[in-house]
Amino acid sequence: EAQVTQNPRYLITVTGKKLTVTCSQNMNHEYMSWYRQDPGLGLRQIYYSMNVEVTDKGDVPEGYKVSRKEKRNFPLILESPSPNQTSLYFCASSARQGMVNEKLFFGSGTQLSVL
Amino acid sequence: AQKVTQAQTEISVVEKEDVTLDCVYETRDTTYYLFWYKQPPSGELVFLIRRNSFDEQNEISGRYSWNFQKSTSSFNFTITASQVVDSAVYFCALSGSPPGFNKFYFGSGTKLNVKP
């Protein structure tokens, strides 16, 4: 089954404790990206990756890191989480038509609470 | 700047009513893509439609239809004869042409409540 898998589904942590949210896709997609969803703000793009070892900032990259060492995986790293990073996070991937992305396939989401 | 506005925060209708969700976008790109996604109470994001800026034909899929008007920068979504299962948050999104095609911009969402 084609899917984007995120883990964990729920995460509670404390300020400053490094954490990683994993994301993996089995569709051989080149493009992957991370979003955070906050009430009243919709989804905002954190980082994206066009291919292995190629990443770039979205609209809200501060406080986050990513890496793309393999095509299928795109982990999101919070090196020193703060309470304002409490949010619902989504990973997504997309096939490409030339230079253009097709539709985004989303993971199930990770609800992060930073105390 | 790229921006998507969904001015309707929440809409409530009674089952079988028709309902239109508004989406207005801003972009300087001549080529761009518009999307609608559905987020039911279970939380996942479900793709509904992708439309490119050169295709202004309206689209119908069952009870769903989309009206794309470049002149007003709008991409509205209509559900005909709404059902309780349509209750969800609906997001409109925009993706631009190169080099901006890797960025996606989402509206704040419209929560649709369909009551039996």
Side-chain angles (χ1 to χ4, degrees):
Chain A
E1 180 190 354
Q3 59 185 1
V4 178
T5 304
Q6 281 179 241
N7 281 298
R9 186 77 177 85
Y10 301 94
L11 181 56
I12 301 175
T13 190
V14 296
T15 299
K17 186 175 181 183
K18 181 179 178 179
L19 66 91
T20 299
V21 184
T22 63
C23 175
S24 180
Q25 49 94 4
N26 63 1
M27 295 168 279
N28 201 37
H29 287 166
E30 291 180 349
Y31 180 87
M32 297 185 75
S33 56
W34 277 101
Y35 302 82
R36 60 178 288 174
Q37 182 180 354
D38 301 290
L41 297 177
L43 283 84
R44 293 178 293 168
Q45 193 172 35
I46 302 171
Y47 269 95
Y48 62 88
S49 169
M50 292 168 284
N51 214 325
V52 176
E53 302 291 3
V54 182
T55 64
D56 206 348
K57 296 176 182 178
D59 279 346
V60 289
E62 297 78 20
Y64 304 95
K65 281 179 57 176
V66 293
S67 68
R68 187 94 181 271
K69 293 183 169 51
E70 305 164 284
K71 197 171 186 179
R72 63 182 293 127
N73 296 325
F74 190 45
L76 179 69
I77 303 157
L78 284 72
E79 297 221 320
S80 184
S82 62
N84 64 12
Q85 292 179 299
T86 292
S87 186
L88 177 59
Y89 291 86
F90 286 99
C91 178
S93 71
S94 172
R96 301 280 287 266
Q97 284 179 337
M99 301 267 286
V100 178
N101 295 309
E102 297 185 353
K103 64 183 182 183
L104 291 170
F105 288 83
F106 284 92
S108 300
T110 296
Q111 180 64 58
L112 171 65
S113 295
V114 183
L115 306 177
Chain B
Q2 317 266 31
K3 186 179 178 182
V4 175
T5 301
Q6 294 180 257
Q8 303 154 309
T9 305
E10 188 165 353
I11 301 174
S12 292
V13 299
V14 177
E15 208 170 19
K16 297 183 183 174
E17 283 186 16
D18 298 347
V19 58
T20 295
L21 309 182
D22 297 333
C23 173
V24 174
Y25 62 91
E26 294 176 29
T27 181
R28 292 180 182 172
D29 294 337
T30 53
T31 303
Y32 51 90
Y33 296 82
L34 296 163
F35 304 78
W36 276 94
Y37 281 86
K38 174 182 180 179
Q39 186 177 45
S42 51
E44 73 270 25
L45 286 155
V46 179
F47 168 81
L48 296 178
I49 190 171
R50 172 181 181 260
R51 174 55 55 87
N52 76 54
S53 53
F54 292 111
D55 182 1
E56 290 192 69
Q57 277 197 337
N58 292 332
E59 180 152 344
I60 298 174
S61 177
R63 297 183 297 106
Y64 295 171
S65 63
W66 290 269
N67 181 266
F68 177 30
Q69 293 205 335
K70 248 176 156 175
S71 59
T72 56
S73 298
S74 64
F75 186 43
N76 296 337
F77 172 33
T78 297
I79 302 174
T80 301
S82 59
Q83 300 176 1
V84 172
V85 293
D86 295 326
S87 296
V89 180
Y90 291 87
F91 292 100
C92 181
L94 165 72
S95 179
S97 57
F101 59 94
N102 286 306
K103 289 195 170 185
F104 285 81
Y105 301 88
F106 285 78
S108 54
T110 297
K111 184 176 183 182
L112 175 64
N113 302 305
V114 182
K115 301 175 183 177

